[in-house]
Amino acid sequence: MVDSFDEPIFVTRPLLPDLHLVNERMREIWDCKWVTNNGLQHKELQEKLMDYLVTDHLSLFTNGTMALLLGVKSLHLTGEVITTPFTFPATLQALDWNGLTPVFCDIEPDTLTIDVSKIEALITEKTSAILGVHVFGNPCNVLRIQEIADKHGLKVIYDGAHAFGAEINGKPVGSYGDMTMFSFHATKLFNTVEGGALVFKDKSLVAKLDLLKNFGIANQEEVVLSGLNAKMNEIQAAIGLETLKLMDEERKKRHEVKKEYEKQLANVPGVRLLTHLENKASSYQYLVIEIDESSFGQTRDWLHECLQHHNILTRKYFYPLCSDFTWYNHLVSAHPRNLPQAQKTVKEVLAMPFYGDLELASVVRICNIIKKYQASISGVAL
Ligand code: T4K
């Protein structure tokens, strides 16, 4: 089959601000010779993000993983945390590095988020929290999760790495639960190259997180706890400040790209789009399809391989399931029979190329290639 792209079409491309504007900020940083440790760019970004995300408490970090790891630490969790196996390894690693045991809960078939109907059966006297992931920007069932947490006295943390700027029930995504982490990695809608943030309810955590991300140093005379170095630097913050200005435009462009995918893939047997949300409800972070082998005629892995030959570099996020990692697969909750939906989803989901600068004509070409493959399997001539 012909019609390959000359250049690779990646799953995403970083949103990069005008280099002249970044250079102006670099000049400010160079002039004052303050390059990290809570400088002016950091302070400005913190304020602007508090406005953008509509929150009273926000702490910046060097990346999303460190934000989640130290956020979990700040809540003094113990024992077991109920979470999802269908996520990026960092979600689980934040628990590991706090000495916490994950208890894997299956996921819902439509949103791919933690299945709230299965959480309560997993609660034991050791459970201290529920860690949900708004995977691909699909929101968890936050209201039910809060009800369960209130009933059992549990903390609620969200990995919102994919949910920047989204709303749930008309309220900012970070307003739910005790704490939400956002990732500002280069592959994210809003990025600071590497970076991340926590938003949270409890005001006392501001000072605690400042200590945790700065070696526990309270002042030049006192080190009051065992922290780490997880500070966002001035160059990251400066890039973030310029990138933040591009959000509205980027979201509009991604909206158009998403519409084109929806139009093109609407009637392809066995292909279902899993990113349903739009406008303020959507983070426009990923565009994910599900391949149903019985009606498509071939597996997700087969399509993934075919698309690679056309220089279309789709990704099998989040394969393998975290519960299958060698250091978890002995856990009862990690057993495949306890996670039937996650085991199914992880074989069916494919992240498609999705970013604002992806031309609509390229989306049409990508979808035509998928349609041609599907037709060739089912023996239909296109
Ligand atoms: N929780 C969840 C649910 C997450 O998804 C993540 C991160 C985290 C927590 C942790 O947050 P951070 O600590 O990362 O802030 C990427 C990202 O590195 C990772 O941030 C992200 N999730 C994950 C879903 O995607 P990889 O291994 O897929 O990245 P990579 O290098 O293969 O990049 C993907 C594609 O992006 C490339 O094929 C091309 C394009 N790309 C990438 C980079 C880095 C570019 O065009 N330019 C670039 O500079 O993990």
Side-chain angles (χ1 to χ4, degrees), residues 12-14 64-65 87-88 159 161-162 183 185 188 286 315 317:
T12 192
R13 300 308 333 249
T65 307
T87 183
F88 193 63
D159 178 333
H162 307 168
S183 164
H185 183 261
K188 298 298 183 289
Y286 289 102
R315 294 293 291 264
Y317 292 138

Side-chain angles (χ1 to χ4, degrees), residues 24 41 47 65 79 88 90 100 102 139 161 178 184 186 198 203-204 206 216 237 261 280 288 334 367 379 382:
E24 280 174 28
Q41 307 286 331
E47 271 168 32
T65 307
F88 193 63
L100 295 162
D178 294 284
F184 304 155
L198 290 174
K203 190 179 174 188
S204 74
V206 175
Y261 269 114
K280 288 184 173 175
V288 177
C367 295
L382 274 192

Side-chain angles (χ1 to χ4, degrees), residues 68-133:
L68 190 59
L69 193 156
L70 294 177
V72 168
K73 178 89 177 164
S74 74
L75 294 173
H76 298 292
L77 304 182
T78 55
E80 298 174 352
V81 174
I82 297 174
T83 191
T84 167
F86 187 68
T87 183
F88 193 63
T91 314
L92 274 299
Q93 287 158 352
L95 298 180
D96 285 349
W97 283 74
N98 277 290
L100 295 162
T101 305
V103 175
F104 293 105
C105 181
D106 207 3
I107 58 171
E108 297 181 350
D110 279 334
T111 63
L112 316 183
T113 61
I114 192 164
D115 183 341
V116 290
S117 70
K118 299 196 172 142
I119 294 177
E120 275 194 293
L122 298 171
I123 296 174
T124 69
E125 70 284 357
K126 292 187 191 151
T127 311
S128 59
I130 300 167
L131 169 53
V133 180

Side-chain angles (χ1 to χ4, degrees), residues 7 30 94 100 147 211 214 230 251 275 286-287 309 324 380:
E7 299 292 327
W30 261 236
L100 295 162
E147 272 174 15
L211 288 170
N214 189 30
R251 287 172 60 85
T275 356
Y286 289 102
L287 192 132
H309 295 308
D324 287 337
V380 179

Side-chain angles (χ1 to χ4, degrees), residues 303-347:
L303 179 63
H304 172 71
E305 286 303 316
C306 293
L307 294 175
Q308 308 285 305
H309 295 308
H310 295 264
N311 239 346
I312 304 165
L313 307 185
T314 53
R315 294 293 291 264
K316 297 192 265 177
Y317 292 138
F318 286 104
Y319 181 88
L321 276 188
C322 294
S323 48
D324 287 337
F325 296 168
T326 52
W327 60 104
Y328 297 134
N329 62 13
H330 66 283
L331 297 171
V332 174
S333 68
H335 197 286
R337 81 169 161 263
N338 293 321
L339 304 167
Q341 185 59 50
Q343 290 288 348
K344 180 173 184 293
T345 292
V346 80
K347 296 187 191 89

